[in-house]
Amino acid sequence: MDILISNWSGVQSLPETYIFPPERRPGDHKIPSSKDIPIIDLETINGPERAQTIQQIIKASQDFGLFQVINHGVSRELMDQTMALFKRFFASPAEFKARFYSNDLNASCRLYTSTLNYENEEVHYWRDNITHRCHPLEDHINHWPDDPPYYRKVVAEYSIEVRKFLLTILELICDGMGLESRYFEGEISKNQLVSVNHHIPCPDPSLTIGMQAHCDPNLISMLQQGDVCGLQALKDGQWVGVEPLPGAFVVIPGLQLRVISNGKLASAVHRVVTDSKESRTTIGTFLIPSNDVLIRPADGLLGSSDMLYRGYTYKEFFGTFTSNNCEAETALECFKL
């Protein structure tokens, strides 16, 4: 699979098909990490500081649309083991990786490069990706890689633990916003993807990008960054770096949380820049509504305020989102009242 950048070695110059037009280039990609990105400590979430921690999550979701979480309950050993496993996968021989290359969105496990529209793109993103469908596990696990033999066991355990974590965050949001308990369980968070991006060292990070600026269309997202900078978020019209904190998860409310909260919660615009010297591997986890679930602002959050969005199915939203070049504001405008 010569189109996979993880199969390349010793790249000295950036291929022309990865050079973006000037208006889409990251420019000064070495943006300092922001000291203002909220860090939420869940260590005492079941103690007397619970209410304060919940309000920190709500405020971070309102003001920034992104926050980092420490002491989240997922063991550092499992995090490190999973990261090492995915790095090993991308370093595997091309013949092995070719078994998983697919453009089928419904595949239980698929490997691709840039985006699923690679063949029709004028310019490619500097990334490879392997995505696993994870819930329910028994429907998908037998389609995942089985080399090394413990691959499926580790990724399964990781997917279970991070799902528990994200459902905990959603339950805390319920508590903080006055929604009924378990509002976000069931069909509205049914689907789960573990999506791993890999970026090899880039000859000229100023000319290309690892992932375009975007908002996540799903319910909620989580990122395990590793130790190489690259994630940037848009705050007050300026890009800021999201520092990789050892053992932390980055949490990003998705556009469905923005709608369900009737615009009270934000979803950060974010992008990924490349590095000239080091490879970067990150593990994302996404909770996604089932296609036919009805999504609308929650009754308990309306009060005296008008409902901003009409109800729709997630399938309808995602189709609108993709047909509008994944532009969040353009897509949301189609559902405003």
Side-chain angles (χ1 to χ4, degrees):
M1 300 300 299
D2 289 339
I3 65 173
L4 292 174
I5 63 171
S6 55
N7 291 339
W8 302 354
S9 61
V11 183
Q12 298 298 317
S13 61
L14 195 65
E16 187 173 342
T17 53
Y18 288 84
I19 299 175
F20 279 80
E23 67 275 10
R24 295 181 62 193
R25 295 173 190 171
D28 182 11
H29 60 283
K30 292 185 176 296
I31 295 172
S33 297
S34 171
K35 304 300 182 183
D36 298 326
I37 295 175
I39 300 173
I40 310 296
D41 189 344
L42 292 189
E43 187 170 28
T44 59
I45 195 60
N46 294 315
E49 298 179 12
R50 178 182 175 87
Q52 179 182 350
T53 302
I54 288 173
Q55 287 310 307
Q56 289 174 349
I57 292 173
I58 297 300
K59 182 173 174 53
S61 300
Q62 291 172 332
D63 296 347
F64 218 110
L66 175 152
F67 52 92
Q68 302 217 56
V69 181
I70 59 175
N71 295 316
H72 40 64
V74 181
S75 76
R76 184 67 183 275
E77 180 183 8
L78 179 60
M79 293 174 66
D80 291 346
Q81 190 176 18
T82 308
M83 180 64 78
L85 197 62
F86 286 131
K87 288 181 177 180
R88 175 171 172 170
F89 173 84
F90 284 109
S92 298
E95 296 75 15
F96 174 74
K97 287 183 288 190
R99 292 166 45 191
F100 304 97
Y101 192 87
S102 173
N103 285 333
D104 180 4
L105 275 172
N106 296 313
S108 291
C109 184
R110 68 181 190 273
L111 172 68
Y112 61 96
T113 191
S114 185
T115 73
L116 291 174
N117 196 34
Y118 178 89
E119 286 76 12
N120 298 316
E121 293 171 347
E122 292 185 8
V123 188
H124 306 309
Y125 298 104
W126 192 259
R127 71 155 184 170
D128 288 345
N129 176 283
I130 184 168
T131 292
H132 304 65
R133 288 188 175 272
C134 304
H135 189 76
L137 271 174
E138 59 270 19
D139 289 353
H140 305 291
I141 190 170
N142 290 330
H143 300 280
W144 298 353
D146 56 0
D147 184 25
Y150 54 85
Y151 184 107
R152 293 175 180 176
K153 178 180 182 297
V154 171
V155 177
E157 183 180 355
Y158 182 86
S159 69
I160 290 169
E161 291 303 308
V162 296
R163 182 178 182 85
K164 289 179 183 176
F165 162 68
L166 284 174
L167 288 174
T168 295
I169 294 294
L170 289 169
E171 185 66 9
L172 295 173
I173 289 174
C174 283
D175 198 338
M177 301 198 75
L179 292 174
E180 60 187 87
S181 179
R182 300 186 177 180
Y183 183 95
F184 294 109
E185 293 188 14
E187 293 296 315
I188 203 164
S189 59
K190 179 180 180 180
N191 296 316
Q192 178 182 351
L193 301 180
V194 167
S195 179
V196 187
N197 285 329
H198 181 73
H199 315 270
I200 66 171
C202 178
D204 193 341
S206 69
L207 298 180
T208 192
I209 198 161
M211 193 61 194
Q212 66 179 343
H214 67 286
C215 287
D216 292 342
N218 51 292
L219 182 65
I220 194 168
S221 308
M222 184 209 81
L223 188 70
Q224 179 181 333
Q225 286 211 80
D227 53 7
V228 180
C229 296
L231 178 64
Q232 296 177 349
L234 194 63
K235 175 63 173 171
D236 299 327
Q238 300 292 324
W239 289 106
V240 297
V242 183
E243 180 182 2
L245 299 179
F249 289 141
V250 179
V251 174
I252 307 173
L255 292 176
Q256 305 315 306
L257 267 181
R258 180 170 162 185
V259 170
I260 292 167
S261 70
N262 204 38
K264 294 180 174 64
L265 302 184
S267 182
V269 177
H270 53 288
R271 68 180 186 183
V272 175
V273 296
T274 61
D275 190 273
S276 62
K277 296 180 180 179
E278 298 184 77
S279 292
R280 181 174 183 269
T281 305
T282 58
I283 310 172
T285 299
F286 306 90
L287 295 190
I288 305 167
S290 59
N291 276 337
D292 297 328
V293 68
L294 180 65
I295 296 171
R296 63 187 296 276
D299 290 337
L301 298 181
L302 294 177
S304 59
S305 60
D306 294 331
M307 190 162 71
L308 298 180
Y309 304 96
R310 67 170 175 87
Y312 55 81
T313 64
Y314 184 70
K315 182 178 182 179
E316 181 185 5
F317 179 88
F318 192 73
T320 302
F321 181 76
T322 54
S323 65
N324 283 281
N325 297 316
C326 301
E327 292 284 346
E329 299 305 323
T330 304
L332 286 171
E333 194 65 33
C334 298
F335 299 97
K336 283 188 175 179
L337 294 172

